Amino acid sequence: MKSYPLSIKPFGAKAILVEWPQQVDHTILNDILLFVDTLKNQDSSSSWVWVPAYNSVTLIWRSRERMDFEASKRFIEQLYKNRNPQSEKRKHTIWKLPVCYEAEFATDIETSAHTLGISPYELIEQHTSNRYTVFGIGFLPGFMYLGGLPESLHIPRRKEPRLHVVKGSVGLAGKQTGIYPQDSPGGWHIIGNCPIPIFDASKEKPCFASIGDKIQFHTITKAEYDLRKIEAEIGIYNLEKVQPDA
């Protein structure tokens, strides 16, 4: 089991930022999740809330007592040394999400394909052939930053962000892809739309996916899109899960 040099520093009066090497890497993400699993098992008093993302974990101190940073730092260092390698075998859920790539939803697919030197058909084929890892959730509630985009689809963000991107829009930016969970400004290249709600504040778990889960997209027609949207609105659409991987 590989270990990494950690940076542990205060993040305000009630939080600590633990950082791994500044890389977007599956091995680092798995090590972070391994550390979080160890913390869950050790923190019987539930003193901490943890927020993992990419190459860091923010630990938020819940107790009313003053946080002792030096003592907490020693606790974190010992915890990292004692993480259980068996947790490396943890299984992540793979979610299969429908996307309509037809012209009315894919504002930037033609220009993006031209920039990338491929056809729109090839762009869609490559985008749906991969499984993407949820490296972080943020920016908007439920916005999943998905890593693992094929290098052939890496594209800089738009030079001029849009003031309005429609809910469900699927975009490309840099080395990532993602879905806008609500109407929002945004600078990603829009190549399709997913009719399934990504974030629902009324649910116990508002965002169905967790850090480390996988997302796979599949193509649907406009007619299928309209049907899935209706099913989602009346609450009868069932999210499709693929057999979890190791």
Side-chain angles (χ1 to χ4, degrees), residues 4-199:
Y4 296 90
L6 301 186
S7 167
I8 304 172
K9 55 191 176 186
F11 204 55
K14 286 279 190 177
I16 293 175
L17 181 63
V18 185
E19 293 180 300
W20 277 250
Q22 299 295 306
Q23 302 167 32
V24 179
D25 182 274
H26 289 86
T27 306
I28 289 176
L29 181 64
N30 286 336
D31 195 52
I32 290 170
L33 296 176
L34 180 59
F35 170 79
V36 169
D37 283 346
T38 308
L39 176 62
K40 288 178 186 177
N41 293 331
Q42 292 287 325
D43 185 30
S44 57
S45 60
S46 300
S47 301
W48 297 98
V49 175
W50 46 85
V51 183
Y54 282 105
N55 46 34
S56 69
V57 178
T58 302
L59 299 178
I60 303 166
W61 180 246
R62 297 180 60 183
S63 173
R64 292 183 179 180
E65 298 177 8
R66 188 180 70 86
M67 184 186 76
D68 184 330
F69 171 72
E70 291 302 329
S72 298
K73 182 179 179 181
R74 290 193 294 272
F75 168 73
I76 290 166
E77 290 171 337
Q78 192 60 45
L79 202 66
Y80 186 65
K81 290 178 182 177
N82 293 341
R83 64 202 192 287
N84 183 359
Q86 291 302 313
S87 295
E88 287 187 302
K89 299 176 182 178
R90 66 183 359 254
K91 293 188 176 181
H92 302 291
T93 303
I94 303 167
W95 303 94
K96 196 172 182 183
L97 299 181
V99 176
C100 184
Y101 295 91
E102 294 187 19
E104 70 175 277
F105 302 118
T107 316
D108 301 318
I109 199 165
E110 292 282 349
T111 55
S112 296
H114 178 75
T115 300
L116 294 167
I118 58 178
S119 69
Y121 174 80
E122 289 173 312
L123 190 157
I124 294 166
E125 191 170 66
Q126 291 182 38
H127 191 251
T128 54
S129 66
N130 263 25
R131 285 178 178 167
Y132 303 99
T133 301
V134 181
F135 274 92
I137 300 176
F139 162 57
L140 296 169
F143 189 100
M144 297 179 287
Y145 288 91
L146 304 177
L149 190 69
E151 189 173 347
S152 55
L153 297 185
H154 292 183
I155 186 170
R157 292 169 60 93
R158 286 174 54 86
K159 290 181 180 178
E160 296 184 5
R162 290 187 174 91
L163 295 178
H164 183 244
V165 177
V166 176
K167 175 183 177 180
S169 291
V170 177
L172 303 176
K175 301 178 181 180
Q176 300 174 105
T177 186
I179 310 166
Y180 285 79
Q182 62 196 64
D183 290 2
S184 159
W188 292 35
H189 300 271
I190 305 305
I191 61 169
N193 193 284
C194 175
I196 306 308
I198 304 302
F199 182 84

